[in-house]
Amino acid sequence: VDAYGDISPDRPKRLPMLTTQDTTDEDDNSVQENQDNVSLRRRYELDVPVYIEMMNRTNRTKQRVYAVRTKERNVTETSEERKGEVAMKLRTGHSLASVLTIGLNDIGNKSELPASDLTFQASDHVELDDDSDTSSSESESDDESQSSIRISGPNHFDEQLLSEPDNANAKVEHNEQQVELTPGAQVVSVDPSPESLPSFEVLAPDIQLEPYPTFDTTKRKRGNKHAAVLGKVAKTLKSSTVVTGKHVIKHSKYIGKGTVNAGRAAGRKLPTSVVHSKPPKKHEPKGRVNRKKSDYHAKALVKAMKGFDGPAGSGQVLTPDQMCRKVSHLLTEISSLALPSERTTEAISALVNTNSQSDVEFLRGGSAELGVVPLETINVEFDCEFVVARNIWEGRWREEVCALYTRGGHLSFYAPLTKKPSLVVSFDEIISVRECNPDTKANPLPGLHILAIDTAWRCHYFAFLEATALESFSSKLKNSLYLTKDQAQQNKAREWETFQLSLESALTGTIGPKWASVSTGRKSHQKKQRRVLNGRRLSFDLKPVSDSTGGEVTSVQSCIATYAENLLKMALAFSPDTLDATESSFIEFLDEASRLRSLPLHKIDFTSREALCIFVNLYHCLLQHSLLIAVDGLPDKRSATQFKRRSCYEIGDDVFSLSELESLVIRGKTRRPSRISLPFVAPPKKSMAYIIYALDATDYRINFVLNNGDTHYPTQVPVLTEQTMDDQIDAACQNFLLYQVEIDTQKSTVVLPKVCDVYKNDFGNGDVIVCLSQCLRYLDVGDQLSIAELLENGTVSVKFRSPSDQFHTHLTSFDSSYVFSPYDTAT
């Protein structure tokens, strides 16, 4: 295993060694052996809460790394001070693929791999991307000229990384073939010649480099690079295009008119290394950027997890987040094995106790290291810049440059290798600046320091490497907010308004989607992104709905039911006339809705009556929330489909729209509708996986309780509770049918609501007479007698209302203090 924890069979083999003194003392050897055994017996809990997009300083490219959260457990008495310690390690997909492959053999989900696939090879550099111009052999020659490599992780300061080692604690004395180190260090023999391998100076006392003596450490010889280029040209002589380093050779029938002569391209010297002070132009802004044809690390993970389905869900999350969930789920299973194999234990120990190059580089440097050329020049006298990790959404972070413009009155965030800001936050939008201290269990980035900037529609989270950097940024931002409090920034606001976060961007995401787009029409290209209405704050910054690890299932479900009731009551208290997005009460409601992300769906019994109350209340809450915001205005006949399919809540680890909650969850096991016409909206065909959340409710009365939002329905909706659910449903049915049923005795006609036509199969297999008789008990005495007389004569004609194309502006709470009884209206 190399110094960075890279267990890759495709990397040049380097063996990290400590220059130490040979000894023959048997007592010292036995003590060292016991310490190694204790280290191997340590167990760790692993998971991957988030993935991070960061800048690879060596290759000058962006790469995706996974934040592996590690927690030590079952620690021996000799190291009780480390009990419960939580740390974070950054690993690429290719690095984790080797650990997953070995762990899957223990779980039994994969067959034994060939010996070549299980050979660990050491490397002291990060894995190269497919489009990198630096060859592995040239990297080896550069690394061998380096005399010392110092290791530091996210929990260490830059001063430690850059400062010289303390000679008082570690004395190195070259004496022929022996070197003396501090007591307790591992003792191995070394080659004193200058050409020997470099030594590793470990800064953190808890990080050890564990050599694996059984691994193959022979170097793979590579041929001459120029010969390789010539061979590539010869093999593709008949191709239309040949790529040779930075040059493109185009085939043409006119030999003398090729773009680059093959001989000149092959003989031209290729770059041997990446110069950090002057990176290649094609990797920087304003230059041509190489686009990778395939994701090298994603391919390695897909190959390692082949046949593994991962956690259950609707399947609407896109590949990057889905891959992160699978990796997290699998690492948790591997680390929780009762009797893991020795190879699995060694692989996990190497992952936990070593640092990768991503750990060393993450959040260090400035705009030059990230290849950022700010659109607006940073004035060092008034402005400043910081390297931060900005939260994009739950589960995704990105390394960016944050520029604070005091005179400009805004914050600008630049992604790596860009010249335009990906986000601009005006000082006028900022409500508060606060430091987040999440619980250790919920913190997605342990070891980093998180700052939150609150705005009306979104809380922006930024992670800093050091607490001093967070304090410096926070104090400068607060001073800037105070100085520019009474100054007008209208001119600058016009200049930067195109980059500011709009309401649509706050709901759909600023950088790409997290969830799959939904169909909003009959044609395949009519797709749009979901609007997640409860994404203001992240789950680690809020109190969870319930403790998913403690208590019985029934008690957790009761907590969820109470939470859903209170959330609906809060939502029904607002109206568009009095709504202010900056009001503390509305912001409190948005924060409460954000807690739905921590709701444990697996703790809900979907066959219970209480589950019906939970999801009916959540459906009405989402409907009220969507009507209040009305990004595109109130829905009409043309936009009703888009309105109900795009308005969503993130609940647990999944996302639910209005149409999915209504048709696939609440009506999941009822009869299929006869025909759906607007304003009723069916869910998309790709959402049929939501049937796994279907409730057992098959009562026809659910058709009168679910409010569709159009003007044919009353504005009042009930807040269901399990104790009085039956009485509340009966009262809601009466409130709905009293104004929807029309009787014309002269024409012997009865007009029923449109919902009875769409879902008539729920009323006696589609028999309209049965449907009429079931509606009869909720009418007043006069209407009951009139309909009974028509039924006796046998000349009744049942019709249905025409659909409505107008919607209410908001909903209100239904006073269900009156308990309906059919005997009150009929004798």
Side-chain angles (χ1 to χ4, degrees), residues 327-365:
V327 171
S328 179
H329 185 73
L330 194 52
L331 280 180
T332 302
E333 286 191 5
I334 293 174
S335 60
S336 60
L337 290 173
L339 296 174
S341 65
E342 184 178 356
R343 290 186 305 173
T344 301
T345 304
E346 290 176 352
I348 293 177
S349 179
L351 187 150
V352 173
N353 296 321
T354 58
N355 281 350
S356 67
Q357 186 164 339
S358 300
D359 291 321
V360 178
E361 296 176 346
F362 186 53
L363 297 183
R364 288 184 170 88

Side-chain angles (χ1 to χ4, degrees), residues 124-145:
D124 58 2
H125 64 280
V126 76
E127 299 159 348
L128 302 179
D129 292 333
D130 290 345
D131 60 348
S132 176
D133 293 331
T134 306
S135 62
S136 301
S137 59
E138 292 161 346
S139 299
E140 291 176 11
S141 61
D142 293 339
D143 294 337
E144 289 176 357
S145 63

Side-chain angles (χ1 to χ4, degrees), residues 700-722:
Y700 70 92
R701 296 180 300 170
I702 200 67
N703 296 295
F704 305 141
V705 175
L706 289 179
N707 197 308
N708 194 48
D710 62 89
T711 53
H712 282 176
Y713 281 80
T715 58
Q716 299 89 359
V717 294
V719 181
L720 297 183
T721 59
E722 184 187 16

Side-chain angles (χ1 to χ4, degrees), residues 433-450:
V433 180
R434 55 188 174 85
E435 183 177 356
C436 295
N437 296 310
D439 182 71
T440 303
K441 181 181 177 182
N443 190 357
L445 301 173
L448 300 183
H449 307 274
I450 302 177

Side-chain angles (χ1 to χ4, degrees), residues 59-62 129-134 243-248 271 280-294 417:
N59 300 332
R60 307 299 297 165
T61 57
K62 293 181 286 187
D129 292 333
D130 290 345
D131 60 348
S132 176
D133 293 331
T134 306
V243 180
T244 59
K246 290 187 177 181
H247 307 281
V248 178
K281 292 183 179 180
K282 65 179 180 179
H283 293 298
E284 302 301 327
K286 298 183 181 180
R288 179 177 60 86
V289 178
N290 281 349
R291 298 185 180 274
K292 293 190 298 182
K293 296 181 180 179
S294 61
L417 304 176

Side-chain angles (χ1 to χ4, degrees), residues 590-614:
L590 295 178
D591 293 343
E592 279 295 310
S594 300
R595 294 177 61 196
L596 283 170
R597 293 174 167 181
S598 63
L599 190 148
L601 286 172
H602 62 280
K603 293 288 186 178
I604 298 179
D605 181 11
F606 289 89
T607 63
S608 62
R609 289 161 48 90
E610 202 168 29
L612 178 63
C613 298
I614 292 173

